[in-house]
Amino acid sequence: MEKDRPIGVIDSGVGGLTVLKWLQKKMPHEQFIFIGDTARTPYGDRAREEIQRFVKEMTDCLARRKIKELVVACNTITVLGLDTIRNGYDFDVIGMAKGASNIREVTHNNKVGFFATDFTVSTGAHKREIERLDPGVEVFGLGCPKLVPLIESEKFGRPEMQEAIKEYVDAMKVHGIDTLLLSCTHYPFLHDEIAAAFGPQVTVLDPAEMTTDEAIKHLQNKGLLKTEGEGSLEVCFTADLARCKRLASRMLDLAHARFHLIDLES
Ligand code: DGL
C-alpha cells in the first residue's frame, strides 16, 4: 500500500469534525476525506441494522477512494462493532478511544461519568472498558439525546441548549463525579459550556487526541505515515452543505478545505 493514499474519517454528522481537528493537527502532511451523514443524523437512536447499513455505504464510498486507514470518528458506530467494517477491506479501522487508559491519572475520587448517545450507553461498552482497566473506579453513563440535534441545528447559546446542558449536568452531578468523558464526538462543540456547568471540581475529557495517537501508531507500524509534503482536506456531507460549513468553521481551519455534497444511497 502507498503512503500517498488518503485517510478516511466518518461520522453520522458534524461530530466527527471534532476528531478531524486533532487528526489534522497531529498529521499535517496527510490527505483527509471526511464524510458526515448529515442527511440521516442522529444515528444514536436508530436500530443496529440500520446504522450498520449506513456505515457500509460510507465505508464503501471511501474504499473506492483507496484510503489507507479509516478513522471512525463516532462512538455510536465504534461500540456497534468495528469487525463488520474490518471484514473485506485492505485498510486498518480505528475506532474512538474510550478514554479508559488515562482515567486513573485524572480522577481523585474514583467516580467517573460519561455523556454519550442512548445507543452507546445501552451497550455498556465504556463502563466495561474503564472498570476492566481500573476495577476501583465507579462509572456512570448518561444518554443525552437532545444534544446532537441541538448542535446539528446550531442552537449554540440558545435557551433550549442551556436547559438541555443543565438537565444532563444536574443528572450527572448527583453521582459526585470528578471526571467526565465526552463519549459522543458531537459534544466537544459544547466542551466549554459543559465544563462551566459542572464547575472547576470536574475535569471534562475529550478522547479525540487519544484516538488520533492510535491512528498514528497504526500508520507508523505499517510504514504509512507521511512526514513531509502538503496535507489536504476534503469534507463531504450528505445534506445541508451551507450549515455544515458554518459548523466546520467552528472546529477547523478551512483555508484549504474543499466541500462536497454527496449522495450515499445512489
Ligand atoms: N457523534 C456520534 C457519536 O460519537 C453520534 C451522534 C449520533 O448520530 O447520534 O456517538
Side-chain angles (χ1 to χ4, degrees):
M1 193 181 280
E2 318 88 61
K3 264 187 193 179
D4 283 337
R5 289 192 186 192
I7 297 173
V9 184
I10 57 169
D11 181 40
S12 64
V14 298
L17 299 171
T18 66
V19 184
L20 188 56
K21 183 183 92 174
W22 281 102
L23 293 166
Q24 267 203 308
K25 188 171 164 178
K26 292 197 150 189
M27 293 189 270
H29 307 289
E30 299 289 349
Q31 299 170 44
F32 291 98
I33 308 174
F34 174 85
I35 300 180
D37 192 5
T38 41
R40 302 182 290 197
T41 197
Y43 281 9
D45 41 19
R46 289 180 185 270
R48 178 175 287 266
E49 295 68 33
E50 195 175 31
I51 306 174
Q52 267 161 348
R53 181 161 54 82
F54 297 165
V55 172
K56 180 154 179 22
E57 287 172 6
M58 290 196 276
T59 310
D60 284 347
C61 178
L62 289 167
R64 287 193 290 275
R65 300 288 307 274
K66 304 241 172 304
I67 55 170
K68 61 180 177 183
E69 179 176 76
L70 176 68
V71 178
V72 176
C74 175
N75 289 270
T76 305
I77 301 172
T78 301
V79 298
L80 188 70
L82 298 180
D83 289 345
T84 48
I85 308 179
R86 285 193 182 112
N87 281 339
Y89 298 101
D90 65 349
F91 43 81
D92 281 354
V93 180
I94 313 300
M96 283 307 294
K98 297 194 177 57
S101 50
N102 67 351
I103 281 291
R104 193 190 303 239
E105 293 144 38
V106 185
T107 181
H108 299 295
N109 72 358
N110 289 333
K111 289 180 195 284
V112 174
F114 69 94
F115 283 170
T117 63
D118 280 335
F119 182 89
T120 298
V121 175
S122 75
T123 66
H126 289 72
K127 191 170 160 62
R128 262 197 313 279
E129 169 108 353
I130 297 168
E131 288 176 349
R132 183 178 61 82
L133 280 189
D134 204 334
V137 172
E138 249 187 300
V139 183
F140 307 92
L142 183 69
C144 307
K146 291 179 188 166
L147 296 185
V148 169
L150 286 168
I151 292 164
E152 288 280 344
S153 57
E154 304 174 276
K155 296 285 190 297
F156 302 100
R158 299 271 283 272
E160 57 268 49
M161 181 74 96
Q162 300 308 336
E163 278 158 30
I165 292 171
K166 186 172 180 328
E167 175 188 330
Y168 298 134
V169 168
D170 286 350
M172 184 55 84
K173 268 184 181 167
V174 299
H175 299 297
I177 60 156
D178 70 355
T179 307
L180 180 89
L181 287 158
L182 299 178
S183 302
C184 166
T185 55
H186 279 74
Y187 302 167
F189 274 98
L190 302 174
H191 176 281
D192 294 352
E193 290 84 345
I194 292 172
F198 273 110
Q201 62 282 9
V202 175
T203 305
V204 178
L205 298 175
D206 172 7
E209 187 177 359
M210 250 182 276
T211 307
T212 299
D213 292 341
E214 192 63 25
I216 292 173
K217 203 168 76 194
H218 276 252
L219 289 174
Q220 268 166 345
N221 287 346
K222 292 190 152 183
L224 290 176
L225 185 72
K226 280 187 79 182
T227 50
E228 57 188 6
E230 214 177 311
S232 69
L233 175 59
E234 199 175 320
V235 186
C236 309
F237 290 104
T238 53
D240 300 331
L241 207 50
R243 173 177 63 80
C244 296
K245 266 190 195 176
R246 283 196 301 275
L247 282 158
S249 69
R250 288 177 170 261
M251 272 302 140
L252 305 170
D253 171 10
L254 299 180
H256 302 291
R258 286 172 293 142
F259 283 83
H260 304 290
L261 190 64
I262 60 166
D263 181 0
L264 291 169
E265 286 168 288
S266 63

